[in-house]
Amino acid sequence: VRLSADHDILYYGKPMDSFGSLAPLFNSCKVVSHVHGRETYIFIERLRSYLRRFLLDSGLRLIDDFIPVSKFTADRLRDLGIDEKSINVVENAVEFDRFHDSEALRRSDAGIPEDDFLITTVARLDRKKSHDLVMEAIQGIEDIHYLIVGTGPERESLENKAETLGISDKVT
């Protein structure tokens, strides 16, 4: 993508795309990239050629500032050799006022006993989130329930895990 001279910043959302990360070569403005985290470990592990790794490393060095959404992602960028001065963490946030008038989920609506100790995770259903470890940890504990709020590729696997562990009645 070639920008006209009147642009001051190129906001780039895919820093781990080895070919796309070279976009700054064709532009003279400052380049800022937002990094969510998942791409920092999945993409690097999939690099199969020296050329792709070289292009990625070269492209990352051309980005002026990175905006990771978590300390985890910032650490991964540091592991890739990104200069600390280029990393500015801006954590994801929730606008609570937006949901102020929303109806709350009641335990009884979800089939969760009122007296159970409740653990809740709100996250993408992904192996990285370690929902399965929480499930293993609650196995054998009485009066406990694990509520998982989210969607993702691990849903079926987590449902099977709960069934295998015999805790389907403790996981929603």
Side-chain angles (χ1 to χ4, degrees):
V1 175
R2 180 82 174 139
L3 299 179
S4 63
D6 62 346
H7 287 80
D8 297 311
I9 295 177
L10 168 62
Y11 175 80
Y12 186 59
K14 290 193 172 199
M16 300 304 163
D17 177 333
S18 59
F19 299 102
S21 64
L22 296 177
L25 282 175
F26 307 103
N27 299 286
S28 59
C29 59
K30 181 174 182 156
V31 179
V32 177
S33 182
H34 202 125
V35 187
H36 287 90
R38 187 170 188 227
E39 68 273 28
T40 62
Y41 67 96
I42 289 177
F43 191 80
I44 298 302
E45 291 168 3
R46 291 184 181 166
L47 289 176
R48 299 202 195 308
S49 74
Y50 292 111
L51 175 61
R52 287 182 67 103
R53 181 62 197 216
F54 171 77
L55 290 173
L56 175 65
D57 286 344
S58 300
L60 289 177
R61 304 295 175 267
L62 297 172
I63 297 172
D64 298 296
D65 290 303
F66 292 85
I67 305 172
V69 299
S70 68
K71 182 183 177 307
F72 170 84
T73 303
D75 289 344
R76 291 298 300 204
L77 289 170
R78 285 184 204 94
D79 291 346
L80 290 170
I82 303 301
D83 184 354
E84 179 72 34
K85 292 179 238 169
S86 298
I87 300 172
N88 301 290
V89 177
V90 177
E91 295 181 350
N92 289 328
V94 174
E95 295 178 41
F96 290 105
D97 291 341
R98 183 175 171 195
F99 301 101
H100 178 70
D101 294 329
S102 299
E103 189 170 325
L105 174 67
R106 292 185 182 85
R107 287 176 181 239
S108 58
D109 295 339
I112 301 169
E114 292 294 325
D115 295 332
D116 276 10
F117 183 84
L118 180 60
I119 300 170
T120 303
T121 300
V122 180
R124 175 181 74 251
L125 303 183
D126 186 285
R127 272 190 282 168
K128 177 183 168 271
K129 301 298 184 180
S130 301
H131 299 91
D132 58 327
L133 295 178
V134 177
M135 292 167 52
E136 290 172 11
I138 68 168
Q139 186 181 19
I141 300 175
E142 298 295 323
D143 303 322
I144 194 165
H145 199 92
Y146 183 34
L147 175 64
I148 305 172
V149 180
T151 61
E154 290 296 306
R155 182 183 178 117
E156 186 176 339
S157 175
L158 291 168
E159 289 171 346
N160 291 338
K161 178 85 170 187
E163 185 71 33
T164 300
L165 293 173
I167 59 168
S168 294
D169 60 328
K170 294 181 178 195
V171 178
T172 302

